[in-house]
Amino acid sequence: MGRQVVLDTELTGLNVGKPNGDKLVSVGIVEIFNGQVTGKSAIWYINPLKKSTKKALEIHGLSETFLSTKPEFKKVAQEILDFIGDSEIIHHCWYRESDDTSTDERALNFELKDNGFKTIPHSQWVNIKKWAQSLSKDKNSLDDMLDRYGIDRNARKKNHDALIDAEMTAKLYLKMAPAFKK
């Protein structure tokens, strides 16, 4: 099995992967090794140099004032890449069927490319949202899946913090993987 990382992002909005589009405001990552969460994790808060949409702000709760004190993406990009390394990236995120890329993947790779870094190949990403959709076309949000698998989600009730969501996704992945990853 080896090393995997579970990643979640928070954004200024959902219009990602385009010049002048929405930007990352946080990236949370949790490490899994040989099917166990190791306790090694990290979160980066990022100054996106733009305001979050009202809906995004309601979801992540990261104020413009708070984010204005954080580094821009280019200052933390190498740290994020070093943490990920060549590990498989597990995430639970909406994806486009036309190119099979998720919002997390497009947002992170756009920021990497836009700041002169190498992007992360699509083959490195594993989106368990697809697994969730195979169980239910309608009830496959992260909250729905946490409930389905009996995982306490109280930690994410106030806001969708990237690290909290990565931790919840790691728990979900470890419960779902035996049935889906062959």
Side-chain angles (χ1 to χ4, degrees):
M1 227 177 212
R3 184 177 188 269
Q4 299 165 303
V5 296
V6 180
L7 178 142
D8 188 72
T9 65
E10 298 300 335
L11 306 157
T12 60
L14 294 177
N15 182 26
V16 299
K18 302 172 186 165
N20 301 316
D22 287 302
K23 302 289 186 180
L24 292 169
V25 296
S26 66
V27 177
I29 305 176
V30 173
E31 180 183 67
I32 294 176
F33 189 77
N34 288 338
Q36 299 291 318
V37 175
T38 67
K40 184 177 177 183
S41 63
I43 188 163
W44 294 268
Y45 294 103
I46 300 159
N47 183 345
L49 303 174
K50 74 179 301 179
K51 290 183 180 184
S52 291
T53 65
K54 183 179 177 188
K55 179 145 177 93
L57 186 56
E58 288 171 5
I59 291 170
H60 60 63
L62 300 173
S63 72
E64 187 177 353
T65 302
F66 172 77
L67 293 171
S68 71
T69 67
K70 302 306 172 195
E72 294 176 36
F73 181 80
K74 63 186 166 197
K75 300 283 188 189
V76 298
Q78 192 59 56
E79 289 177 38
I80 293 169
L81 286 169
D82 289 346
F83 194 106
I84 293 169
D86 62 358
S87 297
E88 187 174 60
I89 303 167
I90 310 301
H91 66 299
H92 183 283
C93 188
W94 180 87
Y95 65 97
R96 264 190 326 219
E97 289 188 19
S98 62
D99 65 1
D100 197 36
T101 61
S102 70
T103 305
D104 287 342
E105 180 181 352
R106 285 193 312 281
L108 183 56
N109 275 337
F110 181 83
E111 294 272 9
L112 288 167
K113 185 176 181 181
D114 196 43
N115 286 281
F117 292 87
K118 184 179 175 187
T119 60
I120 300 168
H122 178 66
S123 60
Q124 205 168 328
W125 295 81
V126 175
N127 190 346
I128 64 170
K129 175 82 167 180
K130 295 175 194 174
W131 297 354
Q133 288 177 325
S134 74
L135 297 174
S136 172
K137 293 290 182 197
D138 299 322
K139 295 187 176 259
N140 54 46
S141 71
L142 184 54
D143 282 342
D144 290 334
M145 296 310 296
L146 293 170
D147 290 347
R148 173 174 281 151
Y149 281 87
I151 299 168
D152 180 7
R153 61 182 173 94
N154 284 322
R156 73 186 304 258
K157 285 204 179 202
K158 184 178 178 192
N159 292 110
H160 291 211
D161 178 272
L163 184 56
I164 290 170
D165 283 2
E167 290 167 347
M168 298 288 108
T169 301
K171 290 176 183 179
L172 179 60
Y173 169 75
L174 292 173
K175 287 204 174 202
M176 291 179 79
F180 288 91
K181 190 153 183 154
K182 297 173 184 186

